[in-house]
Amino acid sequence: MAEKHENRTDDATMPKDITDHVGPFDRFATKASEFAARAPFFLLCILLVLIWAPSIIWLPMETWQLIINTTTTIITFLMVALLQNTESRNDAAIQQKLNAIADGLADLMQHTAKEDPESHDLEDCRKQLRRAVGLEDDEST
């Protein structure tokens, strides 16, 4: 099992393997996420609720509930999809950075271990760190 994990960087996605290409949907999701995270969007939501609240006087209760429930459900559904897309891409980018850091640290530890042959503990730590690179692929399946 240790042999399988020793060369884990071959399986892991490293930053050098990632292209700079971002699709149109991903760009849109990023912009929508940035907009939704700002105060103007929150103020827009408050304004919408303040406009809707008095409408209970003019519209029958069933119509008013149907309008507000349908609208909020649709907006929530779309926002969850957009925010999930952005969050997934951010998580993947962070994981790639962590893999690169762990891989570089393992290389440094290997170089240091070669200079000091009595550093068995360092070699064990290096092997454990090397196993951690790409571990998210095993854990997520």
Side-chain angles (χ1 to χ4, degrees):
M1 182 161 190
E3 293 174 18
K4 176 188 172 203
H5 294 298
E6 185 63 27
N7 294 325
R8 184 171 296 275
T9 56
D10 296 340
D11 300 48
T13 302
M14 299 301 283
K16 67 179 171 61
D17 302 326
I18 305 302
T19 66
D20 292 339
H21 175 70
V22 178
F25 178 75
D26 291 337
R27 283 194 301 274
F28 172 73
T30 299
K31 293 295 182 191
S33 176
E34 289 171 358
F35 177 70
R38 304 253 188 269
F41 180 75
F42 182 73
L43 292 174
L44 181 68
C45 292
I46 289 175
L47 180 65
L48 189 60
V49 169
L50 290 176
I51 290 171
W52 252 329
S55 69
I56 195 168
I57 297 169
W58 297 292
L59 294 175
M61 185 59 111
E62 297 82 25
T63 304
W64 182 81
Q65 284 182 338
L66 181 62
I67 291 171
I68 197 164
N69 287 343
T70 303
T71 305
T72 55
T73 301
I74 290 170
I75 291 171
T76 302
F77 179 72
L78 293 175
M79 289 303 296
V80 166
L82 290 174
L83 295 175
Q84 184 62 43
N85 173 277
T86 305
E87 182 181 344
S88 295
R89 288 185 292 116
N90 286 340
D91 288 347
I94 289 170
Q95 190 58 55
Q96 292 158 4
K97 291 174 188 176
L98 288 173
N99 283 344
I101 291 169
D103 194 39
L105 184 56
D107 288 344
L108 181 63
M109 291 169 76
Q110 183 176 10
H111 179 72
T112 304
K114 285 180 182 177
E115 291 178 0
D116 185 8
E118 296 183 18
S119 60
H120 299 293
D121 188 39
L122 186 61
E123 182 63 20
D124 292 338
C125 290
R126 184 196 65 80
K127 286 180 182 178
Q128 290 297 320
L129 185 60
R130 190 69 81 186
R131 284 186 67 201
V133 175
L135 189 62
E136 71 280 359
D137 294 331
D138 291 342
E139 295 294 324
S140 65
T141 56

